[in-house]
Amino acid sequence: MKFFYIHTFGCQMNVYDSERLTQALQDHGWTVTKNSGQADLLLINTCTVRQLAEEKAFSLIGRWAKMKADRPDVIVGMVGCLAQHLRQKAFKRAPALDFMAGPRALMRVPELAEEARQKKRVAVFSVCNFGGGTKAPEGVVPSAYVAVMDGCNQYCTYCAVPLARGREKSRSQKEILAEVKRRVAAGTKEIILLGQNITRYGSDLGQKINLADLLCRIAEAIPELSRLRFITGHPSAFTEQLIKAMADLSPVCGALHLPLQSGSDRILQAMKRGYTSTQYTDLARKIRAFVPDLVLSTDIIVGFPGETEHDFQATLDMVKQCDFDMAFCFKYSIRQATIAAELPDQLPLLEKEKRLALLLDTVEQKAVAKKAAMIGRREKVLIEGTDVKTKQRLQGRTRGNHIVILDGPPAWIGREIEVEITATANWSLMGEVISPPAGIVNNGQAIA
Ligand code: 5AD
Ligand code: SF4
């Protein structure tokens, strides 16, 4: 038997890419292992969004180089965004690397691994079709990703994604529906549609279909699907048709991740985001009018080149005004070959750290207050597994995407359960089951 191990960095799209890469390798006779020491093929699926991810990737390859010194037949491959972005430079920086493949050449990995075995250094970066998808693995998978498009044409000035992933490429409705059907037939309750700029889904397909149409077709074709989400939307392509689809289609969850990036119009323009702070708040208000219990989360970058105290204050004000349930906050990180990397007035690290701490404080205050307001509410929780920390209790998510921890048997994994929220705990909520799901008795044995 030949074993492979994959280490994944980065976003949900990378997690999904690693799943379809696993599938492709298994189809070629490889067996997956969770133990890197046992693997004949070591793969790293990389992220290029921030410098830290790049450093972590090379440090892991450094550790693998030591393993390779003892077992010279081991093959090391780098795939994904960073491979595409750095290309041949990565070979120079990491002599242990045997092959590289960009995000759209993932399906070539089985063949590249064979070539590398013959002691050749190989790399494929060409942009080919999306290729592959995920099949349903064994066991219960309550929630699954399905990519609907890849790439981004927005070219925000700080972002390396368009450079690494290329231009937007939408998958056909037929291919998407088939993959969603496959996952739901195998017991998946929730599908999360993925795309870096998903609100532009279909714009490269000749306007025949858009994201709202796609949500509608999925809801119609697969009525057994309980939950449907999509990430990541861009504010400037958010149409009224899409807002109505969110409000009207019962599987579409009332949770939305809508990156703001900055509250300052001057910085938004320098970032080339394509909207003003007022347009963002107007949009958030409009979506809330249609989806009253909307859970809204966002991404924010602090310390973009030239960001003044005044600009930063505008971001803090927006956070207070927009009532976010959650915000992922980042220090601006210089990415090679982006426009922002060449801008004057790059901020010192200390200043970025200071602003990040202040922003996190503001975000947390808001998030804590919003979570506290949920105590006493009844929520449908999809049980995803055991809780990450103690492994003793169950962990699931509300339709609004809040994490809930509760007591219950493992047989509940994959079920949607009515829960009362009883307390808050750090980033999650605590809950108690109102009535156990039908067909399961207290000792966790299924009786149906
Ligand atoms: N520096 C810091 N954060 C970044 N992001 C993207 N590029 C950068 C960068 N150069 C953040 C954005 C994006 C999220 C996925 O990562 O907020 O929405
Ligand atoms: Fe990057 Fe902007 Fe595209 Fe998002 S919309 S992937 S931030 S370029």
Side-chain angles (χ1 to χ4, degrees), residues 49-50 158-159 259 261 299-301 330-333 335:
V49 169
R50 281 171 290 276
Y158 52 80
C159 186
Q261 311 299 7
D299 289 342
I300 297 172
I301 299 175
F330 310 102
K331 292 185 293 250
Y332 167 70
S333 168
R335 304 315 290 134

Side-chain angles (χ1 to χ4, degrees), residues 37 124 148 183 200-201 290 299 364 403 445:
V124 181
V148 303
R183 304 302 305 243
R200 277 178 49 81
Y201 171 75
F290 280 87
D299 289 342
E364 200 178 330
I403 296 173
Q445 300 290 311

Side-chain angles (χ1 to χ4, degrees), residues 429-440:
L429 298 165
M430 308 301 291
E432 267 173 30
V433 177
I434 294 166
S435 55
I440 306 228

Side-chain angles (χ1 to χ4, degrees), residues 68-100:
K68 210 175 144 106
D70 295 334
R71 294 168 56 213
D73 287 342
V74 170
I75 304 161
V76 177
M78 184 199 250
V79 302
C81 297
L82 190 62
Q84 181 81 29
H85 195 47
L86 296 180
R87 298 192 173 212
Q88 307 298 335
K89 281 187 217 149
F91 277 139
K92 284 204 191 105
R93 207 163 140 190
L97 263 187
D98 295 301
F99 72 86
M100 286 200 280

Side-chain angles (χ1 to χ4, degrees), residues 49-79:
V49 169
R50 281 171 290 276
Q51 182 67 26
L52 189 62
E54 181 171 332
E55 279 155 21
K56 281 187 188 166
F58 280 101
S59 120
L60 180 61
I61 297 174
R63 291 203 295 281
W64 287 353
K66 287 185 194 134
M67 286 167 62
K68 210 175 144 106
D70 295 334
R71 294 168 56 213
D73 287 342
V74 170
I75 304 161
V76 177
M78 184 199 250
V79 302

